[in-house]
């Protein structure tokens, strides 16, 4: 009933019809030019992730569609090449109803994967347990991809803690997870250009 809360402002991204006009988010559509410096927790809600040090290349690869801990919120897995061509870290930030939002530092990640030279991150439920599993693809060592099982991951996670290692012939360029053959099982697609 539109008479319940007439004139009430629609709140972006809360999945509720705040002004009771049978529409959600109509006033929240992005249009025009926005400065990423204005991201915050208010009307222009968004998150800017920043690295822990200069030249750590946070954002070298990003996956934002997996629910790694099974709480029904999408989680962000963000890769950074800490020492270019040598060491990489992937930062896992769990989603929630309140955030993250605003400027978030790498030090506030829920889990940190320390690996070889990262090329690509991805997440998908490969074992049908309802939680997406992080996949990390590397440029060195012939295009190795590490599969970690999803769950309540926290703290420091090393490359050797992976569930499976998939060995390629060259640098991993792309990763994808999906049911490509429609058999009900998740398949892993690894792109390695020849």
């Amino acid at each position: 009933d539109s008479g319940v809360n007439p004139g009430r402002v629609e709140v972006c991204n809360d999945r509720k019809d705040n002004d009771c006009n049978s529409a959600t988010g109509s006033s929240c559509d992005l249009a025009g030019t926005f400065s990423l410096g204005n991201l915050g927790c208010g009307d222009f809600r968004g998150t800017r992730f920043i690295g822990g040090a200069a030249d750590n290349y946070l954002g070298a690869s990003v996956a934002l569609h997996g629910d790694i801990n099974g709480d029904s919120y999408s989680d962000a897995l963000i890769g950074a090449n800490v020492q270019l061509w040598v060491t990489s870290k992937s930062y896992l930030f769990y989603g929630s109803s309140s955030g993250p939002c605003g400027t978030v530092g790498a030090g506030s990640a829920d889990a940190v994967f320390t690996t070889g030279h990262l090329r690509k991150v991805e997440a998908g439920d490969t074992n049908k347990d309802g939680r997406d599993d992080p996949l990390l693809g590397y440029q060195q060592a012939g295009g190795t991809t590490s599969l970690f099982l999803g769950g309540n991951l926290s703290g420091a996670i090393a490359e050797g803690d992976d569930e499976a290692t998939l060995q390629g012939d060259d640098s991993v360029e792309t990763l994808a997870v999906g049911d490509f053959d429609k058999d009900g099982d998740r398949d892993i697609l690894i792109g390695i250009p020849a």
Side-chain angles (χ1 to χ4, degrees):
D1 179 1
S2 61
V4 175
N5 285 320
R8 173 118 184 207
V9 175
E10 191 68 56
V11 177
C12 297
N13 300 320
D14 71 348
R15 299 183 182 111
K16 296 178 185 172
D17 182 13
N18 303 105
D19 58 6
C20 300
N21 67 353
S22 300
T24 59
S26 60
S27 64
C28 302
D29 295 336
L30 290 178
T33 303
F34 295 90
S35 169
L36 294 180
N38 292 333
L39 291 175
C41 300
D43 289 337
F44 187 44
R45 186 173 180 84
T47 306
R48 180 173 58 156
F49 295 95
I50 58 172
D55 298 326
N56 80 343
Y57 302 98
L58 182 70
S61 187
V62 176
L64 178 66
H65 54 75
D67 179 12
I68 292 170
N69 61 348
D71 65 356
S72 77
Y73 292 100
S74 292
D75 304 316
L77 184 60
I78 303 174
N81 290 319
V82 178
Q83 294 175 325
L84 197 56
W85 303 104
V86 181
T87 304
S88 297
K89 291 188 177 185
S90 296
Y91 299 91
L92 175 60
F93 298 89
Y94 290 130
S96 70
S97 62
S98 61
C101 66
T103 300
V104 177
S108 64
D110 293 291
V112 179
F113 299 85
T114 301
T115 62
H117 181 63
L118 183 73
R119 188 68 176 168
K120 179 72 177 157
V121 296
E122 185 61 73
D125 187 4
T126 61
N127 60 350
K128 295 184 182 181
D129 67 352
R131 297 176 295 204
D132 287 326
D133 308 312
L135 283 161
L136 307 174
Y138 315 118
Q139 185 159 345
Q140 90 293 358
T144 302
T145 299
S146 292
L147 170 66
F148 299 85
L149 294 183
N152 292 318
L153 304 174
S154 64
I157 300 170
E159 189 172 339
D161 295 334
D162 58 355
E163 179 69 16
T165 301
L166 309 168
Q167 186 67 47
D169 297 326
D170 204 345
S171 174
V172 173
E173 291 292 326
T174 57
L175 289 172
V177 177
D179 187 4
F180 300 110
D181 55 7
K182 295 189 179 192
D183 65 355
D185 293 327
R186 294 293 212 170
D187 305 308
I188 299 171
L189 180 67
I190 302 172
I192 300 175

